[in-house]
Amino acid sequence: MKRILVVDDEEDICEILKFNLEFAGYEVDVAFSAEEALLLNISSYHLLLLDVMMGEMSGFSLAAQLKKNDSTAHIPIIFVTAKDAENDMLTGFNLGADDYVSKPFRVSEILARVKAILRRVPLHDNPTSSLPNNDHLCECDGLVVDEISMLVKLNEQEIVLTKKEFVLLLFLMKNEGKVFSREQIIEQVWTDDVTVLERSVDVTVARLRKKIGSHADYIVSRSGYGYCFKKPN
């Protein structure tokens, strides 16, 4: 799962962004100052959302410091700030920012920009993380998904999936127990398609269930909500 750090001294902004980003399927942490952010393992995040005007250390100063560090220089940055003058935007981009969003913002705009940037960040691209060597594997009762080799096995037998089926299974397993609407699944799985009907999700789920056989019941339908991956009771 992609990890995002939100750094903003306005708690309401942090709460809004955290709630909506988590609902979109990301793992989100917040820090209420640049100094607080520096106490975290920033190299473990895939994207940073930074306010500019914060206490003693600004978002610009934090970004400049991170870009000088080999372990954090590669992390994409989106500035989310009320400083929307042209010179401020140029400063942000000159510091290596990937995007710049002015306050007040629309949540849908933030989500769209986050999604666009994270498309180019591989799911397993986290070289400085302290996760174990098998963090690229998702496993549940003999069903194993390897996101590096792109293989799926059930009780040691390989299962052949289409790209969409593989990405869907991986996404649901990485978020075990969490229900996603069809619209959310389309955003995560059909990222390269302009128009996709919600019916496509149902058809893909049906094909996937058939292919994983004995584990079909692990993909649970929540009427009126969507789907999740969950071990049967």
Side-chain angles (χ1 to χ4, degrees):
M1 183 188 299
K2 298 292 178 64
R3 304 186 70 229
I4 298 173
L5 176 62
V6 177
V7 186
D8 197 307
D9 59 358
E10 296 184 61
E11 294 190 19
D12 289 345
I13 296 294
C14 288
E15 290 180 5
I16 290 170
L17 290 174
K18 180 177 174 65
F19 174 81
N20 285 279
L21 288 166
E22 287 184 338
F23 192 74
Y26 304 108
E27 182 179 340
V28 183
D29 291 325
V30 301
F32 301 121
S33 69
E35 292 84 354
E36 183 180 340
L38 288 172
L39 297 176
L40 303 173
N41 179 20
I42 295 182
S43 63
S44 68
Y45 295 97
H46 296 90
L47 175 68
L48 306 179
L49 292 174
L50 303 185
D51 185 21
V52 172
M53 297 180 291
M54 298 183 294
E56 294 185 9
M57 178 180 280
S58 70
F60 286 159
S61 296
L62 175 59
Q65 183 170 330
L66 296 177
K67 291 301 181 181
K68 293 178 182 177
N69 188 321
D70 290 341
S71 68
T72 55
H74 66 284
I75 303 174
I77 293 175
I78 299 178
F79 283 114
V80 183
T81 177
K83 291 176 69 66
D84 58 356
E86 183 177 355
N87 287 340
D88 295 320
M89 296 179 67
L90 290 175
T91 297
F93 286 120
N94 287 334
L95 285 169
D98 293 76
D99 211 336
Y100 198 108
V101 180
S102 300
K103 295 179 182 177
F105 56 79
R106 291 177 297 173
V107 172
S108 59
E109 179 184 6
I110 294 288
L111 294 177
R113 297 188 184 216
V114 166
K115 178 181 175 182
I117 290 175
L118 288 180
R119 279 179 180 172
R120 69 171 187 262
V121 181
L123 282 169
H124 57 276
D125 183 21
N126 196 6
T128 60
S129 173
S130 59
L131 292 172
N133 291 332
N134 64 345
D135 64 308
H136 59 282
L137 298 177
C138 286
E139 192 277 334
C140 186
D141 294 345
L143 179 63
V144 180
V145 178
D146 187 328
E147 62 179 295
I148 292 181
S149 66
M150 308 295 283
L151 292 177
V152 177
K153 292 184 178 181
L154 178 59
N155 298 325
E156 301 299 326
Q157 297 296 315
E158 184 177 343
I159 299 174
V160 179
L161 302 181
T162 66
K163 179 179 178 180
K164 291 294 187 288
E165 292 165 354
F166 177 88
V167 175
L168 174 59
L169 179 59
L170 178 64
F171 174 63
L172 293 177
M173 289 185 70
K174 276 181 165 286
N175 296 279
E176 183 175 353
K178 185 172 182 179
V179 179
F180 292 93
S181 68
R182 291 169 176 81
E183 181 179 357
Q184 289 175 307
I185 291 174
I186 288 173
E187 290 179 353
Q188 295 295 325
V189 178
W190 279 265
T191 57
D192 299 326
D193 296 287
V194 177
T195 303
V196 178
L197 299 176
E198 291 189 353
R199 177 62 179 165
S200 299
V201 177
D202 300 325
V203 172
T204 304
V205 168
R207 290 202 310 260
L208 182 56
R209 280 173 169 163
K210 184 176 180 179
K211 290 183 178 182
I212 62 176
S214 60
H215 282 55
D217 292 342
Y218 285 56
I219 300 179
V220 181
S221 302
R222 298 296 191 198
S223 180
Y225 295 96
Y227 295 99
C228 72
F229 187 92
K230 186 176 183 298
K231 295 175 64 173
N233 297 325

